[in-house]
Amino acid sequence: MQNATITDKLREECGVFGAFGKEASLAELAYYGVFSLQHRGQESAGIAVSDGSSIASFKGQGLISDVFTKEVIMDLTRSNDKVAVAHTRYSTAGAKGIINAQPLVAQYLNGGIALAHNGNLVNAKKIRRDLEKEGYLFQTDSDTECILNILAKNKYRGHVSALGEVVRLAEGAYSLAMIYDGKLIGLRDPAGIRPLCIGKKNDTWIIASESCALTTVGAELVRDVEPGELIVIDESGLSSYILSDRRQDGGLCIFEYIYFARPDTTINNKSVYLQRHKMGQQLAKEAPVEADIVTPVPDSGRSAAVGYSQAANIPFTEGLIKNRYVARTFITPEQSEREIKVRLKLSPIPEVFKDKRVVLVDDSIVRGTTIKSLINIIKEAGAKEVHVRISSPPYVSPCYYGIDTPDADNLAAALYTPEEIMENIDADSLHYLSLDGLLKSVGGEKTDYCNACFTKNYFAGRIKNE
Ligand code: AMP
């Protein structure tokens, strides 16, 4: 995954936030908003503000708390500003990270643009090649710059029509928050693969990847941006344009409900926490086991473990303590480093596990490293048996639409059967939630979601490398 460019895999995890209104400090509001989206990306962050004529921005690598000091936020606080966007991103390691940090800011004939994008375009290379042939310049590796140049190319059209061109040309996943000619723009791809919602705080309009960011800044959730919908917010309020019919063959990434979104977020009027709770209940029905305690993998398995425990009538017991000062282990490149990081991050309470039959619940197995180390740790702490229950189906195929996952040759379920994985991780039993059980929990049909990571059905196109 290091130094990935659009010529190979470009998989990013991101959060976007935007605000339009008269706040004492829009930069500060954006800072708090994007802070609540930190779980969507931990490698770089940026904020851009505009008074309608000029854009000021600051970007850096690291966590939001590292990038934005009080001084930076004060520098970005200008009394005339009316619109802001912010972004947090998991990017590839190395020097390219800062170049690709967002919002991407550009000046063109009609004024300034600051663009924050969550999701991946799967035809970015083709769009880029076509634009380069016409003389357009690119400064980053990022698929997001394609959107910027499509807008530049269509500068003589109005903003609605120019954004219509984006929808016509771009394939894949995009939830955008953008400053465009002094307006705040929100745009979601026609399948609505990544979430995007609208909120309001007094007279200030907000757009955010997740509703948890609205709660943090004291805003009310108004509604989700619809798939294929363009939102334009300016002094006259909010205008909505349907730029494309909703795609019927796929939709929201189901992994947002399983793992990615924060449990206190609501997507499509459904609480993420409650969906995970239902997945746990369903899992208990599908894969019961005689045990003494149900323990979550913190924090990813917690909501499902509560559901499992209630449905199975086995006590929910916290047995693994998280060191909250360690960043997510998943992103560490070296296998050996990952194993030590699991131990750094999660530590057992021996008194909880001694002589117990444990149901260990997590949301997913990706490489299998985390669960294997945890079983080892729990058995060392005295557990008699460890039964693993996973609140999603086997993760067999990489995501091309904005969640960072390894290649298939690093995905445990792509390589091995559940029985083989069970033996390899030294579990006493292993069960995954079925796809039908997952759909029953979240409600709806297969085609209401993108579930390519479980089914290999890449309805929005695989990455095209030509
Ligand atoms: P692994 O060791 O690769 O099997 O990691 C599985 C753990 O990583 C589970 O606890 C998941 O909650 C978590 N996880 C799943 N997908 C991702 C992702 N895209 N980014 C970071 N962590 C993830």
Side-chain angles (χ1 to χ4, degrees), residues 13 255 259-260 297 300-301 328-331 338 342 362-371 395 403-406:
E13 305 175 349
F255 210 62
Y259 167 78
F260 205 43
V297 174
S300 49
R328 287 202 222 178
T329 56
F330 181 84
I331 53 179
R338 267 205 305 277
V342 174
D362 203 1
D363 69 292
S364 56
I365 293 177
V366 182
R367 292 182 174 88
T369 318
T370 309
I371 204 78
Y395 200 116
I403 289 187
D404 177 64
T405 45

Side-chain angles (χ1 to χ4, degrees), residues 43-280:
E43 301 253 328
S44 69
I47 294 177
V49 291
S50 175
D51 56 5
S53 54
S54 73
I55 293 181
S57 70
F58 190 88
K59 296 186 265 189
Q61 278 184 286
L63 297 174
I64 288 143
S65 54
D66 300 331
V67 174
F68 292 102
T69 60
K70 190 174 161 196
E71 289 68 35
V72 171
I73 295 295
M74 280 168 69
D75 275 356
L76 278 178
T77 297
R78 310 179 308 175
S79 57
N80 289 337
D81 282 333
K82 56 180 185 174
V83 55
V85 291
H87 191 260
T88 179
R89 173 171 187 260
Y90 168 79
S91 64
T92 53
K96 287 180 174 164
I98 187 65
I99 298 173
N100 289 331
Q102 298 188 19
L104 292 185
V105 178
Q107 294 294 327
Y108 78 121
L109 193 64
N110 292 10
I113 298 185
L115 174 56
H117 171 201
N118 175 208
N120 280 339
L121 307 187
V122 293
N123 63 341
K125 197 173 179 209
K126 179 178 185 314
I127 296 177
R128 181 174 177 145
R129 202 176 48 224
D130 290 349
L131 286 165
E132 280 175 342
K133 277 188 206 150
E134 292 180 51
Y136 287 86
L137 301 174
F138 283 80
Q139 294 185 19
T140 75
D141 295 329
S142 163
D143 56 342
T144 308
E145 206 178 357
C146 293
I147 298 174
L148 217 52
N149 272 327
I150 294 171
L151 294 173
K153 182 175 173 181
N154 293 283
K155 56 193 172 292
Y156 293 114
R157 300 172 164 208
H159 54 272
V160 177
S161 171
L163 285 154
E165 272 302 284
V166 172
V167 174
R168 196 176 67 77
L169 293 171
E171 285 172 27
Y174 50 92
S175 280
L176 309 180
M178 194 186 329
I179 299 174
Y180 190 10
D181 299 346
K183 303 172 198 300
L184 175 63
I185 301 282
L187 178 64
R188 204 169 167 206
D189 66 71
I193 298 176
R194 298 283 145 231
L196 191 66
C197 66
I198 306 168
K200 203 151 187 221
K201 182 190 178 200
N202 304 321
D203 292 330
T204 299
W205 287 98
I206 291 167
I207 290 174
S209 290
E210 291 184 39
S211 64
C212 65
L214 304 178
T215 314
T216 301
V217 301
E220 299 274 322
L221 172 64
V222 175
R223 65 176 175 87
D224 289 1
V225 176
E226 293 296 323
E229 185 184 19
L230 165 69
I231 295 294
V232 180
I233 297 164
D234 58 18
E235 282 79 0
S236 55
L238 181 147
S239 314
S240 155
Y241 305 84
I242 303 299
L243 297 188
S244 161
D245 289 341
R246 181 189 192 126
R247 277 188 80 139
Q248 298 300 315
D249 52 352
L252 177 75
C253 161
I254 206 160
F255 210 62
E256 293 277 349
Y257 281 134
I258 294 164
Y259 167 78
F260 205 43
R262 241 169 62 165
D264 54 332
T265 279
T266 299
I267 307 173
N268 286 348
N269 297 318
K270 291 177 184 170
S271 147
V272 170
Y273 170 78
L274 288 180
Q275 305 317 303
R276 287 181 194 167
H277 189 271
K278 284 191 218 162
M279 291 170 209

